[in-house]
Amino acid sequence: MSDDNSEPRGGEEVDSDESPGFSNLERSDLDDEASSQGLFDDLLSGEPIFENKEVLRPSYTPHELPHRSDQINKMATILVAALRGETPSNILIYGKTGTGKTASAKFVSKELESTSQKYSVPCDVEYINCEVTDTQYRVLAQLANKFIEKNEARIDDRVAELEELLEALDEYMTDAAVEPEFDTDAEPEFDDETVVSDDLAESDRFADTESPDRATAVPDDDVDGNDQLPAAHPLESTPFDSRGEVETKIENLEADKESFEEVPMTGWPTDRVYSVFFDAVDYDERVVVIMLDEIDKLVEKSGDDTLYNLSRMNSELENSRVSIIGISNDLKFTDFLDPRVKSSLGEEEIVFPPYDANQLRDILEHRSEVAFKPGALSDDVIPLCAAFAAQEHGDARRALDLLRTAGELAERSQTETIVEEHVRQAQDKIELDRVVEVVRTLPTQSKLVLFAIILLEKNGVHSINTGEVFNIYKRLCEEIDADVLTQRRVTDLISELDMLGIVNAVVVSKGRYGRTKEISLSVPIDETEAVLLSDSRLSDIDDVQPFVQARFEN
C-alpha cells in the first residue's frame, strides 16, 4: 500500500507551476516570444484573398485587352512599317480617362519590340509620362539619357562579341600550329609559275594569324577578299580582314562609350540637351518610337516647341528614324498647336470610346481570374463594380480600383469572400480619397473661396449666393495677408470648383433682381475642412466665427 505523504520515486514527476521540461529561463524566453506575437502576426494569420494584386493596378499591361482589338489592330498596321525599316506615321490617340489608351499603346509597343528582336530589326520604343515630365528640358533629358543607356548596352554587347571573336582566333591559331595541313588526302599540284597573290603578300591580312605552313600557293583568280580563308577561319563572313582590325574596332567602340555624357535634370541650355539627344538617337541605325502619354499636359505647360523639334527630326537624322505616338484625354488640345506641328503630328488619329457596363464586366472578370484566389468573389461584386464605373463615362481604371479596394477592405476585415457591402464601402472610400487629393492640390485662392463656402454652410446658411461668398472671402484674405481678387474672378473660381465636383453652383433667376448662383457643397464638410486647415497658410486663421457674423452684417 502506498503512502500519500511518501517522497516521489526517482522516475516520477512532481507537479509544479512550471511547464514540464523547461527551466525558468526557457519559460521566460517563451513568454517573451508569445508577447511579441501581435500586430503583424495577427494580420498574417488570415487567409489572403489576392493571388496577384498587381493585375488590378493601372500600371499593369495585360496579355489581352478585351474590346480594344480594332484600335490595337489599327495601331499595328501603322507601326508595322518600323519592322520593314521604314518610318511609321505619327499617331494621336484620344479618349477619356480609363478607356484603355495607355494599356493598348504599351501592349502594341511591347509586341513591336519583341517582333523586332525576332527578325533582327533594330527598333526601340520609349515611354514618357508628360504629366510628370512636363517641360521640354525634362522630356529631352530623359530621352537622351535613355538612349545613351541603350547605346552603352549595345556597345558592351558588341565588344563582348568581338572579344569572343579574338578568343576564337587564338584557338584557331593554336590548332593551326599543331595541324598545319588543311587536306592531306588530296594534294593540289602547282607548276613553278604559280605565285602567291600580290594583294595577299602586300597586306597584313594574316600577319597576326599565319602559321608557318599557311603560305600554300593559290591561283590568282581564286583570290577575292575573304575567299582566301579556309572555311573554318573565324574571320570568314565578317567585315574584318585581320586581328588588328578587330582590336581597332573594340578601341573605337570603347572610345564612343567614353564620349557619352549623361544629361543632368537641370543646368544645361536646352539646345545642348537637344544636341545630345539627337546624337544619342542617331548613333545606331534603327527606328525609334517615342510614346508621349498625357501629351496635352506637355503642351499646356511648355507649349509645342518639344513636339515641333521631335516631329522635324527625321529631316536631319542620318542613321535612325523617329515616330511619335501622342496620347491625350483632351480631344481639342491640337487646336492650340502650331499648324505645322499639327499637320506633322496628327498623321493618323485613333479614338478610344468609353466602355459600357457589359464591357467593363468582361474586363473585370478577365483580370479577377488572375488577381484573386478561387471563390473569393461573390456573384454580385463584379456587376456592381462595372455599374458604378459605367456611371462615370465607362472608366475601366475606376472599375479596377473599386475591385482592388473592395478586396483590400475584405482582407482587412479578415473575411474570406468579397461581398456587395465591400464594394459600396470601396466606392465611398475612393470618392473621399479623390476629394481629398483634389482639395489638397487647389491653389490658395481657390481654397479660400471653398473655405468661405464651408463656413457659411456650417453656420446654417442655405442657398448661398456669390456675394455672400465674396464677403467672407475678403475677410479671410485680410486675415492671412493674401491678395483680394475681384468678385468676377471669385465667380470664375466657384465655376472651377463646380467643374471639379466639389461644389454645386446653379444659376437661378430672381426676376427683376436679375440672376445669381446658388451654391452648395457636394463633398463631406468635415473632411474637406480638415484638408483645408492642413494648409500652412489657412491654419494661421485662429477664429473664423467673426467672419461669418460679418456676413450677416453686410
Side-chain angles (χ1 to χ4, degrees), residues 321-460:
R321 290 290 177 266
V322 172
S323 175
I324 302 170
I325 299 177
I327 304 173
S328 173
N329 299 331
D330 185 359
L331 295 172
K332 297 182 178 180
F333 97 95
T334 54
D335 295 347
F336 305 101
L337 296 178
D338 183 286
R340 295 169 297 174
V341 177
K342 186 176 180 179
S343 63
S344 60
L345 188 63
E347 295 173 336
E348 297 281 353
E349 296 185 353
I350 302 175
V351 178
F352 280 65
Y355 294 107
D356 60 33
N358 292 329
Q359 292 173 335
L360 289 171
R361 187 181 304 179
D362 290 342
I363 293 169
L364 293 179
E365 287 175 349
H366 188 261
R367 299 279 187 102
S368 65
E369 291 174 0
V370 184
F372 296 101
K373 291 184 178 296
L377 295 174
S378 63
D379 293 338
D380 53 356
V381 167
I382 286 180
L384 186 59
C385 289
F388 277 140
Q391 292 172 3
E392 299 188 20
H393 58 256
D395 189 343
R397 190 175 300 174
R398 179 62 176 264
L400 292 169
D401 282 344
L402 263 176
L403 186 57
R404 177 179 52 80
T405 306
E408 290 173 346
L409 293 173
E411 204 169 53
R412 289 170 195 168
S413 61
Q414 295 188 337
T415 57
E416 297 181 355
T417 307
I418 305 170
V419 296
E420 179 182 335
E421 182 59 28
H422 293 130
V423 178
R424 296 191 181 279
Q425 291 174 6
Q427 170 80 343
D428 294 339
K429 181 179 184 301
I430 289 174
E431 183 61 29
L432 181 58
D433 290 345
R434 185 191 72 83
V435 169
V436 167
E437 182 61 24
V438 170
V439 172
R440 188 182 63 80
T441 55
L442 286 174
T444 300
Q445 292 288 350
S446 296
K447 285 182 178 179
L448 290 169
V449 172
L450 179 57
F451 200 11
I453 297 170
I454 288 175
L455 294 178
L456 289 166
E457 282 219 355
K458 286 187 70 175
N459 283 269

Side-chain angles (χ1 to χ4, degrees), residues 444-492:
T444 300
Q445 292 288 350
S446 296
K447 285 182 178 179
L448 290 169
V449 172
L450 179 57
F451 200 11
I453 297 170
I454 288 175
L455 294 178
L456 289 166
E457 282 219 355
K458 286 187 70 175
N459 283 269
V461 182
H462 303 290
S463 301
I464 303 166
N465 62 48
T466 307
E468 294 167 336
V469 174
F470 183 67
N471 287 334
I472 307 299
Y473 159 80
K474 284 193 299 182
R475 299 296 182 90
L476 291 172
C477 289
E478 292 169 3
E479 179 69 15
I480 67 169
D481 196 24
D483 295 336
V484 179
L485 303 179
T486 63
Q487 185 165 341
R488 179 180 292 276
R489 181 63 186 128
V490 169
T491 303
D492 293 338

Side-chain angles (χ1 to χ4, degrees), residues 11-67:
E12 294 180 353
E13 295 181 357
V14 180
D15 292 336
S16 70
D17 293 337
E18 294 183 8
S19 299
F22 295 102
S23 66
N24 288 335
L25 182 59
E26 290 171 328
R27 177 172 179 154
S28 175
D29 291 341
L30 287 173
D31 289 342
D32 291 342
E33 185 176 342
S35 65
S36 67
Q37 302 284 327
L39 187 60
F40 291 106
D41 298 279
D42 290 342
L43 294 173
L44 289 171
S45 62
E47 191 68 24
I49 288 177
F50 290 101
E51 189 76 47
N52 183 2
K53 190 190 295 187
E54 298 306 311
V55 172
L56 300 176
R57 296 193 183 277
S59 56
Y60 175 77
T61 303
H63 301 295
E64 181 183 349
L65 286 157
H67 307 292

